[in-house]
Amino acid sequence: RRRLKFCSACGSAEIGLTVPEGDHRERYVCRHCSTIHYRNPLIVCGVVPVFEDRVMLCRRGIEPRFGKWTLPAGFMENGESVEEGALRELAEEACATVNLGPLLTVLSVPYISQVHMMYLGEMTEAKYATTPESTEIQLFREEEIPWKELAFRTVKTALEHFFECRRQGQYSLKRAKIE
């Protein structure tokens, strides 16, 4: 766990790990102003963009996993809903739009303190473009997916769930813990 060096409330460097009164976990607490600094998981939101029978994947133009294939997704920003974040990430990474469908996956990734939430998105046209975040974008049929070149286990899990739901003709929510 990364050490907190300065209090964001008062600027003091008198930060220490302690269990605050009424709490049950160690937290960073400022010894100067008593501010408790909660560090909570980050939400990653994204889309499984589908055009006809193909799924859009982006080749990462940034670290981590530069050059690997991924679904358009990223960290949710303050002041936006999960859906707004998913659509924003799609636009930022692929210059694409979708009709947002149901939530497909909620994947807890506790070892990196993240929760990944992926939505189904229907593309009405195959219109997209590369960005500084994606060096290549391609539409893949299920049998063409570069499974061994996927950037993250959460992407693999989301794609497997999407294809299984499509075969069954019904979309459901998959909840899982990725370790």
Side-chain angles (χ1 to χ4, degrees):
R1 163 159 77 167
R2 230 174 2 135
R3 179 174 165 9
L4 190 64
K5 295 180 182 177
F6 297 98
C7 176
S8 60
C10 75
S12 172
E14 298 177 40
I15 303 287
L17 271 176
T18 188
V19 178
E21 186 176 327
D23 206 334
H24 62 282
R25 291 180 179 259
E26 276 192 331
R27 311 283 184 186
Y28 284 105
V29 178
C30 178
R31 292 185 188 105
H32 181 74
C33 73
S34 301
T35 297
I36 301 169
H37 296 274
Y38 296 95
R39 301 184 74 172
N40 301 104
L42 297 171
I43 295 174
V44 172
C45 49
V47 179
V48 178
V50 179
F51 179 72
E52 296 173 348
D53 65 336
R54 297 172 291 168
V55 172
M56 185 181 76
L57 295 177
C58 304
R59 191 181 292 273
R60 290 182 60 80
I62 57 175
E63 291 294 349
R65 309 283 200 279
F66 181 90
K68 299 289 186 181
W69 290 98
T70 191
L71 291 164
F75 294 114
M76 184 174 156
E77 297 286 351
N78 291 332
E80 69 184 1
S81 69
V82 181
E83 296 86 355
E84 290 166 340
L87 293 172
R88 176 187 48 76
E89 286 293 338
L90 176 63
E92 286 178 4
E93 294 186 13
C95 299
T97 60
V98 295
N99 293 322
L100 204 59
L103 181 61
L104 285 176
T105 61
V106 176
L107 305 173
S108 297
V109 194
Y111 73 94
I112 55 173
S113 299
Q114 295 179 1
V115 177
H116 292 218
M117 302 174 73
M118 302 299 282
Y119 288 86
L120 177 60
E122 181 187 336
M123 299 175 72
T124 57
E125 57 184 335
K127 185 177 177 186
Y128 50 84
T130 59
T131 71
E133 294 186 31
S134 301
T135 61
E136 182 181 355
I137 300 171
Q138 193 170 327
L139 294 170
F140 293 95
R141 288 184 174 80
E142 181 176 5
E143 64 275 7
E144 299 169 334
I145 298 285
W147 295 103
K148 293 184 184 207
E149 292 297 314
L150 295 178
F152 308 104
R153 286 181 283 170
T154 53
V155 170
K156 180 178 186 284
T157 301
L159 287 169
E160 288 171 342
H161 181 64
F162 163 74
F163 288 121
E164 181 61 31
C165 287
R166 188 167 74 176
R167 280 190 289 280
Q168 293 177 2
Q170 180 176 325
Y171 292 96
S172 62
L173 177 63
K174 178 176 183 78
R175 295 176 205 87
K177 180 178 176 181
I178 307 295
E179 301 196 67

